[in-house]
Amino acid sequence: MSGVESVVVDAFLHGLLSGGEQLVALAPGGVWADVAPEGTHGVVVLVVAEGGLTDTTPSIGTGRTLSQGTWTIKAVGDAEDTFLDLAQVAARIDALVQGASGGVDLPGVTGHVYGCDRAGDVHMRENGTPAYRHLGGSYRVTVR
Amino acid sequence: MIVFNHVNAAIREIETATSAMTESAARGTERRAVSLIRALPKSGRVYARPDAGRDRLGRFARVGSVVHVASAPGQAPAHDTGALERSIHARHEGEDRWVVAVDSPIGVYLERGTRHIAPRPYMRPAYDAAQLHSREQLARFARRLDTGRIEGAAGDLGGEL
């Protein structure tokens, strides 16, 4: 398990998704980590780390070379939204994230995301009332 | 002239190794997921059990825990009744195809989260650990083939995760 690299990925993904004008228009509920706050209305985009990072290459000196982890990025609808409603949002998420790379340089958080590769899709309907739908993908993210 | 006289033996070992590693990865994922759920400490909310300490007839008979310490967001789910752990199964579906399934209806919500409940991933970390273990096994197997010790090379595989 690595330390700050996961924060680099979180910051990178939030910047990427929040900066996508089309996505912001399609998901008026906003981009959130893990859960949508109570009272949030409309389609939301949730960014969820699926577990710890794995160091994929040997360290050089004191520095880790590359780490990988999986993040779920999904559109979650409001009560009345169908999978069809969410399809456009999920497609926009994939257009932004698949193959994305770039640096993060924030106070205390510096790093580089080398790539995001879709590892599978996420298609889920909550078994409750309301039965919120989730549509998106799991992405394998390589970071240093 | 170069003569490759161990090709058939190598192919047999590779086939055996593939089979052993697939099974090992599936069973390893199952075991790891269960151990993540049972691992302590968990640091989420503490719930009092309203009916803890009573048996099935409602008689007072202190059994089990009076409180349940839930998992915090990001941690694997906390052990509760054991139903979630019991519902995790590695299943052989023919040839070299294995599936690790969680039959509990709440399993997917814990792993992926819901709109208002943060995820408690336990299958992905288990799968990642099993994958890492398989990679190490594969490297060991390849080294053994590379040094010409072909017979029985696959027998070393399939160890505990």
Side-chain angles (χ1 to χ4, degrees), chain A residues 19-110:
Chain A
E21 286 179 19
Q22 285 182 48
L23 182 62
V24 170
L26 290 167
V31 179
W32 302 96
D34 294 344
V35 288
E38 290 288 348
T40 310
H41 296 294
V43 176
V44 295
V45 175
L46 299 184
V47 179
V48 180
E50 285 192 26
L53 284 160
T54 307
D55 296 329
T56 55
T57 47
S59 299
I60 296 176
T62 56
R64 286 182 290 272
T65 314
L66 284 175
S67 300
Q68 276 191 329
T70 308
W71 268 254
T72 294
I73 306 167
K74 58 189 179 182
V76 182
D78 219 333
E80 65 281 3
D81 289 317
T82 64
F83 283 118
L84 205 57
D85 296 326
L86 298 177
Q88 208 181 347
V89 193
R92 191 63 208 143
I93 290 171
D94 193 51
L96 285 169
V97 176
Q98 174 61 43
S101 61
V104 171
D105 193 0
L106 298 168
V109 183
T110 307

Side-chain angles (χ1 to χ4, degrees), chain B:
Chain B
M1 184 173 70
I2 303 171
V3 178
F4 294 97
N5 54 2
H6 294 301
V7 173
N8 288 341
I11 288 171
R12 270 198 310 276
E13 289 298 328
I14 289 167
E15 283 171 354
T16 310
T18 308
S19 229
M21 278 192 291
T22 313
E23 178 173 357
S24 165
R27 294 198 186 283
T29 301
E30 177 194 281
R31 275 196 302 272
R32 181 78 173 190
V34 170
S35 69
L36 284 172
I37 294 167
R38 292 192 176 150
L40 293 173
K42 297 294 197 293
S43 55
R45 286 179 61 181
V46 178
Y47 298 90
R49 292 179 196 275
D51 55 351
R54 291 185 187 276
D55 65 15
R56 280 187 294 177
L57 298 174
R59 293 173 304 200
F60 193 81
R62 187 173 288 270
V63 286
S65 167
V66 182
V67 294
H68 170 65
V69 182
S71 54
Q75 291 178 339
H79 164 76
D80 189 9
T81 63
L84 177 63
E85 296 99 297
R86 284 195 300 275
S87 80
I88 302 171
H89 297 292
R91 286 202 273 264
H92 187 209
E93 297 205 332
E95 294 287 314
D96 288 331
R97 182 177 165 78
W98 283 76
V99 168
V100 186
V102 184
D103 296 332
S104 165
I106 62 165
V108 68
Y109 304 131
L110 289 164
E111 176 75 15
R112 295 236 180 261
T114 69
R115 185 172 168 112
H116 295 302
I117 299 173
R120 269 80 175 160
Y122 57 105
M123 290 304 292
R124 169 64 69 176
Y127 172 75
D128 283 348
Q131 202 180 34
L132 204 63
H133 183 65
S134 295
R135 259 189 239 156
E136 286 162 6
Q137 283 185 317
L138 188 61
R140 206 170 59 225
F141 176 68
R143 272 198 303 274
R144 187 156 168 179
L145 286 189
D146 201 34
T147 53
R149 291 177 295 137
I150 294 168
E151 289 295 334
D156 291 347
L157 303 172
E160 289 282 312
L161 173 64

